[in-house]
Short mmCIF file of all heavy atoms in Angstrom, two decimals:
data_model
loop_
_atom_site.label_atom_id
_atom_site.label_comp_id
_atom_site.label_asym_id
_atom_site.label_seq_id
_atom_site.Cartn_x
_atom_site.Cartn_y
_atom_site.Cartn_z
N GLN A 1 -129.28 287.63 240.77
CA GLN A 1 -128.90 286.35 240.21
C GLN A 1 -127.96 285.60 241.16
O GLN A 1 -127.40 286.18 242.09
CB GLN A 1 -128.20 286.52 238.85
CG GLN A 1 -129.12 286.96 237.72
CD GLN A 1 -129.49 288.42 237.79
OE1 GLN A 1 -128.64 289.26 238.06
NE2 GLN A 1 -130.75 288.74 237.57
N ARG A 2 -127.82 284.31 240.91
CA ARG A 2 -126.81 283.51 241.59
C ARG A 2 -125.78 283.10 240.54
O ARG A 2 -126.14 282.48 239.53
CB ARG A 2 -127.41 282.29 242.26
CG ARG A 2 -126.37 281.34 242.87
CD ARG A 2 -127.03 280.38 243.83
NE ARG A 2 -127.58 281.11 244.98
CZ ARG A 2 -128.57 280.66 245.75
NH1 ARG A 2 -129.14 279.50 245.48
NH2 ARG A 2 -129.00 281.38 246.76
N THR A 3 -124.54 283.45 240.77
CA THR A 3 -123.47 283.12 239.84
C THR A 3 -122.61 282.02 240.44
O THR A 3 -122.13 282.14 241.57
CB THR A 3 -122.61 284.35 239.52
OG1 THR A 3 -123.43 285.36 238.94
CG2 THR A 3 -121.50 283.99 238.55
N VAL A 4 -122.43 280.96 239.66
CA VAL A 4 -121.64 279.81 240.09
C VAL A 4 -120.30 279.88 239.38
O VAL A 4 -120.24 280.09 238.16
CB VAL A 4 -122.36 278.48 239.75
CG1 VAL A 4 -121.58 277.29 240.30
CG2 VAL A 4 -123.79 278.49 240.30
N TYR A 5 -119.22 279.67 240.14
CA TYR A 5 -117.86 279.81 239.60
C TYR A 5 -117.21 278.43 239.51
O TYR A 5 -117.13 277.70 240.51
CB TYR A 5 -117.03 280.73 240.49
CG TYR A 5 -117.65 282.10 240.61
CD1 TYR A 5 -118.62 282.36 241.58
CD2 TYR A 5 -117.29 283.13 239.74
CE1 TYR A 5 -119.22 283.60 241.67
CE2 TYR A 5 -117.88 284.38 239.84
CZ TYR A 5 -118.85 284.61 240.81
OH TYR A 5 -119.45 285.84 240.89
N VAL A 6 -116.77 278.08 238.30
CA VAL A 6 -116.25 276.74 238.01
C VAL A 6 -114.80 276.84 237.56
O VAL A 6 -114.46 277.66 236.69
CB VAL A 6 -117.10 276.04 236.92
CG1 VAL A 6 -116.59 274.63 236.69
CG2 VAL A 6 -118.58 276.03 237.31
N ASP A 7 -113.95 276.00 238.15
CA ASP A 7 -112.56 275.90 237.71
C ASP A 7 -112.55 275.26 236.32
O ASP A 7 -112.97 274.11 236.15
CB ASP A 7 -111.76 275.04 238.68
CG ASP A 7 -110.26 275.08 238.40
OD1 ASP A 7 -109.88 275.04 237.21
OD2 ASP A 7 -109.49 275.14 239.36
N PRO A 8 -112.10 275.98 235.29
CA PRO A 8 -112.18 275.44 233.93
C PRO A 8 -111.27 274.25 233.67
O PRO A 8 -111.45 273.54 232.68
CB PRO A 8 -111.78 276.64 233.05
CG PRO A 8 -110.93 277.50 233.93
CD PRO A 8 -111.49 277.33 235.31
N TYR A 9 -110.30 274.01 234.52
CA TYR A 9 -109.35 272.91 234.29
C TYR A 9 -109.76 271.62 235.00
O TYR A 9 -109.38 270.54 234.56
CB TYR A 9 -107.95 273.33 234.75
CG TYR A 9 -107.46 274.57 234.04
CD1 TYR A 9 -107.55 275.82 234.65
CD2 TYR A 9 -106.93 274.50 232.75
CE1 TYR A 9 -107.12 276.96 234.00
CE2 TYR A 9 -106.50 275.65 232.09
CZ TYR A 9 -106.60 276.88 232.72
OH TYR A 9 -106.18 278.02 232.07
N THR A 10 -110.52 271.75 236.09
CA THR A 10 -110.91 270.56 236.84
C THR A 10 -112.41 270.34 236.87
O THR A 10 -112.88 269.26 237.23
CB THR A 10 -110.41 270.67 238.29
OG1 THR A 10 -111.05 271.79 238.94
CG2 THR A 10 -108.90 270.86 238.33
N GLY A 11 -113.19 271.37 236.51
CA GLY A 11 -114.65 271.26 236.61
C GLY A 11 -115.16 271.39 238.04
O GLY A 11 -116.35 271.19 238.30
N LYS A 12 -114.29 271.75 238.96
CA LYS A 12 -114.69 271.90 240.36
C LYS A 12 -115.42 273.21 240.57
O LYS A 12 -114.98 274.26 240.09
CB LYS A 12 -113.45 271.84 241.26
CG LYS A 12 -113.75 272.02 242.74
CD LYS A 12 -112.45 272.00 243.54
CE LYS A 12 -112.71 272.26 245.02
NZ LYS A 12 -111.45 272.27 245.81
N VAL A 13 -116.55 273.16 241.28
CA VAL A 13 -117.29 274.36 241.62
C VAL A 13 -116.61 275.01 242.83
O VAL A 13 -116.56 274.44 243.92
CB VAL A 13 -118.76 274.05 241.93
CG1 VAL A 13 -119.48 275.30 242.42
CG2 VAL A 13 -119.45 273.50 240.68
N LEU A 14 -116.08 276.23 242.63
CA LEU A 14 -115.34 276.91 243.67
C LEU A 14 -116.23 277.71 244.61
O LEU A 14 -115.79 278.12 245.69
CB LEU A 14 -114.29 277.84 243.06
CG LEU A 14 -113.25 277.16 242.15
CD1 LEU A 14 -112.26 278.20 241.62
CD2 LEU A 14 -112.52 276.06 242.91
N GLY A 15 -117.46 277.92 244.22
CA GLY A 15 -118.37 278.67 245.08
C GLY A 15 -119.43 279.36 244.26
O GLY A 15 -119.47 279.26 243.03
N ALA A 16 -120.33 280.07 244.95
CA ALA A 16 -121.41 280.81 244.31
C ALA A 16 -121.61 282.12 245.06
O ALA A 16 -121.37 282.20 246.27
CB ALA A 16 -122.68 279.99 244.27
N ARG A 17 -122.04 283.14 244.34
CA ARG A 17 -122.29 284.44 244.94
C ARG A 17 -123.62 285.00 244.41
O ARG A 17 -124.02 284.71 243.30
CB ARG A 17 -121.17 285.43 244.61
CG ARG A 17 -119.78 285.03 245.12
CD ARG A 17 -119.68 285.20 246.62
NE ARG A 17 -118.32 284.98 247.09
CZ ARG A 17 -117.81 283.80 247.44
NH1 ARG A 17 -118.59 282.70 247.35
NH2 ARG A 17 -116.57 283.68 247.85
N THR A 18 -124.26 285.81 245.23
CA THR A 18 -125.44 286.55 244.78
C THR A 18 -124.96 287.79 244.05
O THR A 18 -124.23 288.61 244.61
CB THR A 18 -126.33 286.94 245.97
OG1 THR A 18 -126.78 285.76 246.64
CG2 THR A 18 -127.54 287.75 245.51
N THR A 19 -125.35 287.92 242.80
CA THR A 19 -124.83 288.99 241.94
C THR A 19 -125.96 289.75 241.26
O THR A 19 -127.11 289.32 241.27
CB THR A 19 -123.90 288.41 240.86
OG1 THR A 19 -124.66 287.51 240.03
CG2 THR A 19 -122.74 287.65 241.48
N GLU A 20 -125.59 290.87 240.68
CA GLU A 20 -126.49 291.62 239.80
C GLU A 20 -125.90 291.48 238.40
O GLU A 20 -124.95 292.15 238.04
CB GLU A 20 -126.58 293.08 240.21
CG GLU A 20 -127.56 293.88 239.37
CD GLU A 20 -127.68 295.32 239.84
OE1 GLU A 20 -126.84 295.76 240.65
OE2 GLU A 20 -128.61 296.00 239.39
N GLY A 21 -126.49 290.57 237.60
CA GLY A 21 -125.85 290.21 236.35
C GLY A 21 -124.58 289.45 236.65
O GLY A 21 -124.59 288.45 237.35
N THR A 22 -123.47 289.96 236.12
CA THR A 22 -122.17 289.35 236.41
C THR A 22 -121.35 290.16 237.40
O THR A 22 -120.20 289.83 237.67
CB THR A 22 -121.36 289.19 235.11
OG1 THR A 22 -121.23 290.48 234.48
CG2 THR A 22 -122.06 288.25 234.14
N SER A 23 -121.93 291.25 237.93
CA SER A 23 -121.21 292.08 238.90
C SER A 23 -121.10 291.36 240.23
O SER A 23 -122.09 290.82 240.75
CB SER A 23 -121.94 293.42 239.10
OG SER A 23 -121.94 294.17 237.90
N MET A 24 -119.90 291.37 240.81
CA MET A 24 -119.67 290.71 242.08
C MET A 24 -120.38 291.46 243.21
O MET A 24 -120.72 292.64 243.07
CB MET A 24 -118.17 290.64 242.36
CG MET A 24 -117.39 289.84 241.33
SD MET A 24 -117.88 288.11 241.29
CE MET A 24 -117.31 287.54 242.90
N PRO A 25 -120.61 290.79 244.35
CA PRO A 25 -121.33 291.44 245.46
C PRO A 25 -120.73 292.77 245.90
O PRO A 25 -121.46 293.71 246.21
CB PRO A 25 -121.26 290.39 246.57
CG PRO A 25 -121.18 289.09 245.85
CD PRO A 25 -120.37 289.36 244.62
N VAL A 26 -119.39 292.88 245.94
CA VAL A 26 -118.79 294.13 246.40
C VAL A 26 -119.10 295.26 245.42
O VAL A 26 -119.40 296.40 245.83
CB VAL A 26 -117.26 293.97 246.60
CG1 VAL A 26 -116.55 293.66 245.29
CG2 VAL A 26 -116.68 295.22 247.25
N THR A 27 -119.08 294.96 244.11
CA THR A 27 -119.41 295.97 243.11
C THR A 27 -120.89 296.32 243.17
O THR A 27 -121.27 297.50 243.07
CB THR A 27 -119.05 295.47 241.70
OG1 THR A 27 -117.64 295.22 241.65
CG2 THR A 27 -119.41 296.49 240.64
N THR A 28 -121.74 295.31 243.32
CA THR A 28 -123.18 295.56 243.44
C THR A 28 -123.49 296.43 244.64
O THR A 28 -124.28 297.37 244.57
CB THR A 28 -123.94 294.22 243.54
OG1 THR A 28 -123.66 293.44 242.38
CG2 THR A 28 -125.44 294.45 243.63
N TRP A 29 -122.84 296.13 245.78
CA TRP A 29 -123.11 296.88 247.00
C TRP A 29 -122.64 298.33 246.87
O TRP A 29 -123.35 299.27 247.24
CB TRP A 29 -122.40 296.20 248.18
CG TRP A 29 -122.85 296.73 249.52
CD1 TRP A 29 -123.89 296.31 250.28
CD2 TRP A 29 -122.23 297.82 250.24
NE1 TRP A 29 -123.98 297.05 251.43
CE2 TRP A 29 -122.97 297.99 251.44
CE3 TRP A 29 -121.15 298.65 249.99
CZ2 TRP A 29 -122.66 298.96 252.38
CZ3 TRP A 29 -120.83 299.63 250.94
CH2 TRP A 29 -121.57 299.77 252.11
N LEU A 30 -121.42 298.52 246.34
CA LEU A 30 -120.91 299.87 246.16
C LEU A 30 -121.71 300.64 245.11
O LEU A 30 -121.94 301.85 245.26
CB LEU A 30 -119.44 299.82 245.76
CG LEU A 30 -118.45 299.38 246.84
CD1 LEU A 30 -117.05 299.25 246.26
CD2 LEU A 30 -118.45 300.36 248.01
N GLY A 31 -122.15 299.95 244.06
CA GLY A 31 -122.96 300.60 243.05
C GLY A 31 -124.29 301.08 243.61
O GLY A 31 -124.74 302.19 243.32
N GLU A 32 -124.93 300.25 244.44
CA GLU A 32 -126.20 300.64 245.05
C GLU A 32 -125.97 301.75 246.07
O GLU A 32 -126.82 302.64 246.23
CB GLU A 32 -126.85 299.43 245.72
CG GLU A 32 -128.27 299.66 246.19
CD GLU A 32 -129.22 300.01 245.05
OE1 GLU A 32 -128.99 299.54 243.91
OE2 GLU A 32 -130.20 300.74 245.31
N LEU A 33 -124.84 301.73 246.76
CA LEU A 33 -124.51 302.81 247.69
C LEU A 33 -124.38 304.14 246.95
O LEU A 33 -124.90 305.17 247.40
CB LEU A 33 -123.20 302.49 248.42
CG LEU A 33 -122.72 303.53 249.44
CD1 LEU A 33 -123.64 303.58 250.65
CD2 LEU A 33 -121.28 303.23 249.87
N HIS A 34 -123.70 304.13 245.82
CA HIS A 34 -123.52 305.35 245.03
C HIS A 34 -124.84 305.79 244.41
O HIS A 34 -125.13 306.99 244.31
CB HIS A 34 -122.49 305.09 243.92
CG HIS A 34 -122.24 306.28 243.05
ND1 HIS A 34 -121.73 307.48 243.52
CD2 HIS A 34 -122.42 306.46 241.71
CE1 HIS A 34 -121.62 308.34 242.52
NE2 HIS A 34 -122.03 307.75 241.41
N ARG A 35 -125.65 304.82 244.02
CA ARG A 35 -126.89 305.12 243.29
C ARG A 35 -128.02 305.56 244.21
O ARG A 35 -128.80 306.45 243.86
CB ARG A 35 -127.30 303.88 242.50
CG ARG A 35 -128.47 304.07 241.57
CD ARG A 35 -128.55 302.94 240.56
NE ARG A 35 -128.47 301.63 241.18
CZ ARG A 35 -127.50 300.76 240.97
NH1 ARG A 35 -126.50 301.08 240.16
NH2 ARG A 35 -127.50 299.58 241.55
N SER A 36 -128.13 304.98 245.40
CA SER A 36 -129.30 305.27 246.24
C SER A 36 -129.03 305.20 247.74
O SER A 36 -129.99 305.29 248.52
CB SER A 36 -130.43 304.30 245.90
OG SER A 36 -130.08 302.98 246.31
N LEU A 37 -127.78 305.03 248.15
CA LEU A 37 -127.46 304.89 249.57
C LEU A 37 -128.21 303.71 250.21
O LEU A 37 -128.47 303.71 251.41
CB LEU A 37 -127.78 306.18 250.34
CG LEU A 37 -127.05 307.44 249.89
CD1 LEU A 37 -127.49 308.63 250.70
CD2 LEU A 37 -125.53 307.26 249.99
#
């Protein structure tokens, strides 16, 4: 998935990341490393 991050006070889009569900890229990468190298 692509997750878009929005500042709730200004409505500004702070960036986007490629994710697995809501898991951040570092968690997705480490999870896949643990699961299947």
